[in-house]
Amino acid sequence: MMRLHLHRHVVAASPIVQCAVRICCLMWWFYRKGPSGFSGASTAEEVTAGVDGRGLVAVITGASSGIGLETARVLAMRGVHVVMAVRNVSAGLAAQEAIAAKIPGARMDVLELDLSSMASVRRFASEFESLNLPLNILINNAGVMTRYCKLSCDGLELHFATNHIGHFLLTNLLLENMKNSCRDSGVEGRIVNLTSSGHFMTYPEGICFDKIHDPSGQSMQSLNDFIAYGQSKLANILHCNELSRILKEEGMNTSANAVHPGVITTNLFRDRTIVSVLLNSIGKIICRSVEQGAATTCYVAMHPQIKGLSGKYFANCNIGSPSSQASDPELAKKLWQFSLQTVSS
């Protein structure tokens, strides 16, 4: 008993020991396998092993770098025809060539898409339709985290415009194709929105609608960039929830799920100098690799275990628990109507 008491005293008095214990707990949680049989340490290749994607077509936004690129590579490896939707076409073509060099016979296309511009989203949708391809998988992966709150070319707060509105419009424009593809093939369509645990850090009301439309820029000073990012990530989940509800009402064989990929040292933080430095310094401890970061996306997009699941939030390749705001059906409906009005104006 004396020895146990002394041990507790040492732990309580030593910040280094406390830190070590917390890291051990974090690593245990990270490597612990959930009901799916996978964990935060699983890679995209591992979770899709044995899955045959031949005959499927996927659109992946932000596919020229980071987890979008890894997602594109792994889906192409599994036989999926991948359409890479990228802002920088040169980078997209280079990524396509790199994948093709390692995966002979990989079927890939590169199309330009700037999610911060609704006009660009509409051009992309038109160009995709001209390819005369079906659509089985839509992965809304791309995202931005800017250092300062800025306005998009459409006069919207940039995080919200890029991370939510762009993907909302893209999904609506491609949805009829996916529905037809589901009917013709009998294969479940899957829509995957990448979100973040950052969705917990948003406004008290969840979505602050009056700060999104601001052509004059007067209220931008009151928008905190981290909060604005969290708001956009909350919107990604709410979008999936309401879309899932609508698809179920229509009796469509199509799912919509949100995915938290984990903390990854990608170029998402390129405008956040301090954050980037911190992640590069301690990344080996708290961050996962790109291969691990793309795992949950690939799992939800392709694995047979997901069939029939919709309106869920996934983390570490298992169903997780989002914030209470992310589970609010009334907020989801309000966001849907607001988004429809925004893309129609």
Side-chain angles (χ1 to χ4, degrees):
M1 293 295 292
M2 287 291 291
R3 185 173 300 172
L4 179 60
H5 177 75
L6 178 61
H7 174 69
R8 288 176 176 172
H9 178 74
V10 171
V11 171
S14 173
I16 294 177
V17 173
Q18 288 185 42
C19 182
V21 170
R22 290 192 180 98
I23 290 174
C24 287
C25 291
L26 178 63
M27 297 308 290
W28 172 83
W29 172 81
F30 182 66
Y31 285 99
R32 180 179 62 87
K33 292 183 178 180
S36 69
F38 302 112
S39 70
S42 300
T43 66
E45 286 194 23
E46 290 171 348
V47 303
T48 58
V51 178
D52 187 357
R54 289 175 296 179
L56 301 180
V57 177
V59 168
I60 306 174
T61 67
S64 62
S65 64
I67 56 178
L69 174 58
E70 176 65 4
T71 300
R73 184 188 73 82
V74 171
L75 264 60
M77 175 186 292
R78 302 306 178 207
V80 178
H81 184 154
V82 176
V83 178
M84 306 171 72
V86 299
R87 185 172 55 178
N88 186 327
V89 174
S90 296
L93 291 172
Q96 178 191 30
E97 291 177 6
I99 292 173
K102 296 181 179 179
I103 307 174
R107 294 176 300 160
M108 308 186 78
D109 291 287
V110 177
L111 296 179
E112 184 177 10
L113 172 64
D114 180 354
L115 286 160
S116 69
S117 165
M118 287 188 273
S120 177
V121 174
R122 290 190 171 92
R123 280 195 301 272
F124 172 87
S126 177
E127 290 174 3
F128 176 76
E129 291 302 319
S130 70
L131 295 177
N132 294 314
L133 292 171
L135 179 61
N136 308 102
I137 302 169
L138 172 59
I139 300 178
N140 292 320
N141 164 84
V144 296
M145 177 187 281
T146 65
R147 188 172 183 179
Y148 303 105
C149 289
K150 304 173 183 177
L151 292 176
S152 72
C153 62
D154 298 309
L156 306 174
E157 190 281 314
L158 189 60
H159 292 97
F160 196 85
T162 305
N163 299 347
H164 169 62
I165 289 296
H167 282 131
F168 177 87
L169 176 58
L170 177 66
T171 302
N172 281 8
L173 292 173
L174 299 183
L175 193 55
E176 196 60 34
N177 183 320
M178 180 172 282
K179 289 178 179 179
N180 292 333
S181 300
C182 291
R183 293 190 189 99
D184 295 341
S185 66
V187 177
E188 180 185 60
R190 297 192 181 183
I191 299 167
V192 183
N193 277 7
L194 265 74
T195 182
S196 166
S197 58
H199 79 272
F200 281 89
M201 188 173 68
T202 184
Y203 298 99
E205 61 269 48
I207 306 293
C208 194
F209 294 99
D210 63 347
K211 290 186 178 180
I212 294 169
H213 285 286
D214 185 28
S216 67
Q218 294 300 311
S219 71
M220 298 302 289
Q221 300 302 318
S222 63
L223 263 171
N224 177 282
D225 47 0
F226 279 113
I227 298 297
Y229 175 77
Q231 173 180 250
S232 71
K233 295 290 97 180
L234 171 61
N236 293 149
I237 303 175
L238 293 170
H239 173 209
C240 270
N241 292 350
E242 182 63 7
L243 177 58
S244 175
R245 185 190 67 80
I246 292 171
L247 291 170
K248 287 178 182 177
E249 282 190 353
E250 295 177 352
M252 295 304 306
N253 184 26
T254 302
S255 65
N257 292 296
V259 164
H260 166 48
V263 180
I264 307 148
T265 51
T266 68
N267 62 4
L268 174 66
F269 301 101
R270 59 185 176 269
D271 293 329
R272 312 287 316 190
T273 305
I274 296 177
V275 175
S276 182
V277 170
L278 285 173
L279 288 179
N280 287 329
S281 300
I282 62 176
K284 292 183 179 180
I285 298 175
I286 68 169
C287 295
R288 62 192 65 186
S289 67
V290 170
E291 292 79 10
Q292 293 168 332
T296 305
T297 300
C298 291
Y299 172 71
V300 175
M302 294 197 68
H303 205 283
Q305 289 179 347
I306 303 301
K307 186 176 181 180
L309 293 177
S310 188
K312 305 297 183 184
Y313 171 81
F314 288 84
N316 296 327
C317 297
N318 287 277
I319 295 176
S321 300
S323 69
S324 58
Q325 291 173 326
S327 304
D328 184 344
E330 293 307 314
L331 183 58
K333 290 178 182 178
K334 185 176 180 180
L335 174 65
W336 185 274
Q337 291 303 317
F338 177 87
S339 302
L340 276 180
Q341 293 172 4
T342 299
V343 300
S344 300
S345 59

